[in-house]
Amino acid sequence: QVQLVESGGGLVQPGGSLRLSCAASGAIVRINTMGWYRQAPGKQRELVGGITSGGSTNYADSVKGRFTISRDNAKNTVYLQMNSLKPDDTAVYYCNAGLIVADPSYKTLELWGQGTLVTVSS
């Protein structure tokens, strides 16, 4: 019932931009931390960055200065704005959220999105 749905992936040329969205749906009381991860073929899943409920962010060194994480609490949505994309950014991107649901009452959950593929290629 409570789930994370990702969107915004696709094909983009090097140097281009893309914005990913991750929306939490269901009877949600609030979302605490949200994060973005990515996994390229044959590679381990790695943390791209995260954002706290207060808006504090952190990023992997590989994306600092190029990626920006933001959230819209009214929409229970987190965004990943990706600029100056490189071929090395090609991966399946997953969002992750620690949240509190209303049913069962005030249960804390950790959820993952289904993943969205970002391909950076000319």
Side-chain angles (χ1 to χ4, degrees), residues 59-113:
Y59 302 94
D61 289 340
S62 60
V63 305
K64 285 182 179 178
R66 300 188 298 119
F67 290 11
T68 302
I69 297 174
S70 61
R71 61 190 292 169
D72 185 336
N73 291 331
K75 297 181 179 179
N76 286 334
T77 300
V78 63
Y79 304 95
L80 180 64
Q81 178 66 48
M82 303 182 291
N83 299 324
S84 301
L85 283 163
K86 306 174 181 178
D88 287 347
D89 295 320
T90 297
V92 176
Y93 285 71
Y94 300 91
C95 66
N96 170 269
L99 50 82
I100 299 174
V101 300
D103 187 15
S105 181
Y106 294 95
K107 182 177 181 179
T108 301
L109 299 176
E110 182 179 10
L111 298 179
W112 289 90

